[in-house]
Amino acid sequence: MTKVSFGAHPFLLGFDQLERLVERTVKAGAEGYPPFNIEQSGEHAFRITLAVAGFREDDLSITVEDRQLVIRGRQGDEGETRIFLHRGIAARAFQRSFVLADGVEVSGATLENGLLHVDLKRSVPEAVVQTIRIGRTT
């Protein structure tokens, strides 16, 4: 069976990384915890909201690694002396990844009422017209 590649099409010059980007996005989307929302908060602004009840600010980390937003949570082991009769609140570690398009940057993050809000903004590139001079071969 032949595998069709985006980079092999003659009209898609320079899009070799697109296939890897799609594969990375599919792998990142397989996680189910914690639940999240993505909303458009402006013409060029987005907000990702994760439900992180029970996590403190110190338990969370947000990084951008190779155009991928990575949000990690790990709760401390405080209170190991407690005896739970029922433990229904998830206290497990998590990692959520979101692939960012070119020009999308994290503009800030806030933790409020058990919800972690990560704000993103997209830089709109200027339209550039470039004239290419045609040289002569001698």
Side-chain angles (χ1 to χ4, degrees), residues 4-5 8 11 13 17 24 38-39 43 51 55 58-59 66 84 99 120 129 131:
V4 178
S5 174
F11 296 123
L13 299 174
Q17 296 178 1
R24 214 167 69 184
I38 301 175
E39 56 189 291
E43 186 177 353
F55 286 86
D58 294 340
D59 298 332
D66 189 28
F84 290 97
V99 178
L120 307 170
V129 177
T131 303

Side-chain angles (χ1 to χ4, degrees), residues 130-136:
Q130 183 179 5
T131 303
I132 309 300
R133 186 170 165 252
I134 301 172
R136 294 186 185 170

Side-chain angles (χ1 to χ4, degrees), residues 44-46 48 69 100 104-107 118-122:
H44 301 289
F46 305 93
I48 299 172
L69 172 66
L100 301 178
V104 175
E105 299 174 354
V106 177
S107 60
V118 180
D119 294 313
L120 307 170
K121 65 178 179 177
R122 180 185 340 194

Side-chain angles (χ1 to χ4, degrees), residues 4-135:
V4 178
S5 174
F6 290 113
H9 195 279
F11 296 123
L12 297 176
L13 299 174
F15 286 87
D16 304 345
Q17 296 178 1
L18 185 59
E19 188 171 357
R20 283 186 300 228
L21 184 63
V22 169
E23 288 175 3
R24 214 167 69 184
T25 303
V26 169
K27 288 178 186 174
E31 306 151 355
Y33 176 79
F36 67 93
N37 292 335
I38 301 175
E39 56 189 291
Q40 187 165 359
S41 56
E43 186 177 353
H44 301 289
F46 305 93
R47 173 174 267 190
I48 299 172
T49 301
L50 285 87
V52 293
F55 286 86
R56 297 182 321 244
E57 188 175 330
D58 294 340
D59 298 332
L60 301 167
S61 72
I62 303 170
T63 58
V64 177
E65 306 166 8
D66 189 28
R67 288 183 23 212
Q68 188 164 344
L69 172 66
V70 180
I71 303 169
R72 293 181 179 94
R74 177 179 290 297
Q75 290 183 328
D77 291 335
E78 57 186 57
E80 286 186 17
T81 59
R82 293 188 290 177
I83 298 172
F84 290 97
L85 300 178
H86 172 75
R87 188 166 187 172
I89 300 172
R92 62 180 184 241
F94 70 88
Q95 177 174 315
R96 261 290 181 197
S97 301
F98 301 90
V99 178
L100 301 178
D102 286 335
V104 175
E105 299 174 354
V106 177
S107 60
T110 56
L111 182 61
E112 174 183 24
N113 298 326
L115 298 173
L116 175 65
H117 303 288
V118 180
D119 294 313
L120 307 170
K121 65 178 179 177
R122 180 185 340 194
S123 305
V124 180
E126 295 180 19
V128 177
V129 177
Q130 183 179 5
T131 303
I132 309 300
R133 186 170 165 252
I134 301 172

